Amino acid sequence: MNILSEEFEAELDNILSFWEQNSVDEINGGFIGQIDENNVRNYEASKGLILNARILWTFSAAYKQTKNQTHFELAQRAYQYLITYFYDKLNKGFYWLLSPDGKVIDGKKHIYSQTFVIYGLSEYYTISHDQNALDLAIEIYHLIVEKSKDLVNGGYTEAFSADWKELSDLRLSDKDVNVQKTMNTHLHIVEAFANLYESWADEELKSEIISILYLINEKFIDHKSGHLKLFFDNKWQDHTDVISYGHDVEASWLLLRCAEIVEDDKLIEVYKEVAIKLMDSSISAIDADGGLWYEKGINSGAFVKEKHWWPQSEFVIGAMNAYQLTSDIKYLNYCKNNWTFIKEKMINPTGEWFWGIGEDYLPMANQDKAGFWKCPYHNARMCLELINRLKSKEITI
């Protein structure tokens, strides 16, 4: 084992240990909805579906690497809470937001969040062999196709009410454009469907994955600029207003992974090219310290000079993936330099990572250490990916 692999194993343990020791809600059940930057646990915080589903995926995926029984038990805890409190027995699908004691605050069915349920359930099935978990993942897959797939214009519609009616506000968060179709949701639909396919090799599911991969290549990838187009209305009019470097680098490796899972040779070649194109387009956003700036305004041309935790995680994987594809040492150096930046600036000495670092190198103020969006999914996945990739005989460090 090389030193770099040992470092990623140690960091995986650091991340998982924080969540083991701090996130379990012994008062209300499940997991605490929010832990602030000072490690203060907010037992009165609401519980978000995305956090719970990502915890389920993280500890399920981690258990396959660590074989730590505590990781299995935390995955099981997340699964039980998910199916007991978040599942809508009447209308099917999973609620967006619950009160601390498990009552429904917001029952909307955002397709993005439903995909992470599939992602978590299908991963949990691989360690538990619980057929109910797999059956539920399959149910949600069918539900997404039935309710969200646009049979006229193509693609998937963003969000619905609790009873699957149209909504006027489709945004995933306040920073997004209010449109019917987004790159982010489509990326995670295909990610979740591909993860499900590894446990349930259904031909219709495979066909759907292939169809989405072709759609993403046609609609969401700007082959001229090498960036992703993020926001579209129902008839595919582009409303993109920013470049999201985190999504560029995440898509660079994740879409190729999905093509490899369905073993489509043509799409594999397409997404090998796309992987390099998306990575190369992001190089201009690398700071001298190896960190990746967050976004860039298309009209202003100005960087958002913050370095958030999740784009750094995805950049490490994307750069290593590009190195594996090309053997070009520059990508390995980008990977190493970004990892050095993470070690020096992003990892919080009291556990987990800072939400982000500003241009002044100070941690961004008043940001969660754990919360609705601050989950162990990106950085734990980075560690797992790098541990496994560094085992490859083709990697020379």
Side-chain angles (χ1 to χ4, degrees), residues 125-194:
Y125 171 74
T126 66
I127 66 167
S128 67
H129 308 295
D130 185 333
Q131 187 63 39
N132 291 328
L134 181 61
D135 289 345
L136 189 51
I138 294 168
E139 176 186 303
I140 302 306
Y141 150 68
H142 284 303
L143 195 62
I144 289 174
V145 172
E146 175 193 344
K147 300 294 187 181
S148 174
K149 188 174 180 179
D150 184 342
L151 300 178
V152 176
N153 300 299
Y156 286 79
T157 302
E158 284 291 293
F160 302 87
S161 65
D163 56 353
W164 296 98
K165 299 294 194 305
E166 290 184 10
L167 291 174
S168 58
D169 188 347
L170 301 165
R171 293 174 299 169
L172 187 59
S173 67
D174 291 343
K175 72 182 292 295
D176 290 337
V177 180
N178 187 24
V179 290
Q180 287 89 350
K181 291 160 187 171
T182 72
M183 178 284 310
N184 201 13
T185 291
H186 283 76
L187 175 65
H188 294 296
I189 289 173
V190 76
E191 169 193 41
F193 285 9

Side-chain angles (χ1 to χ4, degrees), residues 161-359:
S161 65
D163 56 353
W164 296 98
K165 299 294 194 305
E166 290 184 10
L167 291 174
S168 58
D169 188 347
L170 301 165
R171 293 174 299 169
L172 187 59
S173 67
D174 291 343
K175 72 182 292 295
D176 290 337
V177 180
N178 187 24
V179 290
Q180 287 89 350
K181 291 160 187 171
T182 72
M183 178 284 310
N184 201 13
T185 291
H186 283 76
L187 175 65
H188 294 296
I189 289 173
V190 76
E191 169 193 41
F193 285 9
N195 209 55
L196 175 59
Y197 183 76
E198 291 196 281
S199 293
W200 182 58
D202 178 79
E203 284 302 309
E204 287 187 8
L205 172 59
K206 179 179 180 178
S207 177
E208 198 63 37
I209 294 165
I210 290 170
S211 175
I212 297 168
L213 287 171
Y214 275 110
L215 177 80
I216 289 172
N217 186 52
E218 177 190 352
K219 300 293 189 183
F220 291 106
I221 295 169
D222 186 338
H223 290 275
K224 184 176 180 180
S225 71
H227 293 293
L228 294 169
K229 298 177 183 179
L230 304 180
F231 302 108
F232 289 87
D233 64 24
N234 202 39
K235 295 187 177 179
W236 296 106
Q237 293 296 308
D238 188 2
H239 294 266
T240 304
D241 56 353
V242 297
I243 294 168
S244 175
Y245 294 104
H247 288 112
D248 283 349
V249 295
E250 181 180 23
S252 75
W253 71 270
L254 190 51
L255 292 170
L256 176 57
R257 170 69 55 78
C258 294
E260 290 171 341
I261 287 171
V262 293
E263 299 179 325
D264 187 296
D265 291 339
K266 185 176 179 180
L267 280 169
I268 289 170
E269 290 308 309
V270 165
Y271 279 108
K272 282 181 178 178
E273 292 183 14
V274 166
I276 303 306
K277 188 174 291 186
L278 289 172
M279 281 302 301
D280 286 347
S281 70
S282 301
I283 301 308
S284 64
I286 302 173
D287 194 12
D289 58 16
L292 186 72
W293 294 124
Y294 182 51
E295 289 181 348
K296 185 178 184 179
I298 289 177
N299 293 325
S300 69
F303 287 116
V304 176
K305 291 202 169 181
E306 299 167 348
K307 294 162 186 169
H308 293 201
W309 94 98
W310 71 268
Q312 314 311 316
S313 303
E314 299 301 336
F315 185 83
V316 168
I317 307 172
M320 179 57 74
N321 181 64
Y323 175 61
Q324 287 178 289
L325 291 175
T326 65
S327 299
D328 189 330
I329 196 69
K330 71 180 182 183
Y331 297 112
L332 179 59
N333 289 333
Y334 291 140
C335 177
K336 287 182 174 180
N337 292 342
N338 189 259
W339 173 232
T340 298
F341 166 76
I342 290 169
K343 289 187 291 183
E344 292 178 353
K345 300 297 181 182
M346 294 300 301
I347 298 173
N348 192 323
T350 62
E352 243 290 335
W353 294 15
F354 295 111
W355 179 285
I357 300 295
E359 191 175 7

Side-chain angles (χ1 to χ4, degrees), residues 374-397:
K374 186 63 160 56
C375 317
Y377 152 74
H378 286 285
N379 50 2
R381 184 171 69 173
M382 176 203 74
C383 294
L384 290 165
E385 281 288 328
L386 267 290
I387 290 165
N388 289 318
R389 287 171 184 266
L390 289 167
K391 291 176 182 176
S392 170
K393 293 178 181 177
E394 283 124 28
I395 296 286
T396 304
I397 302 295

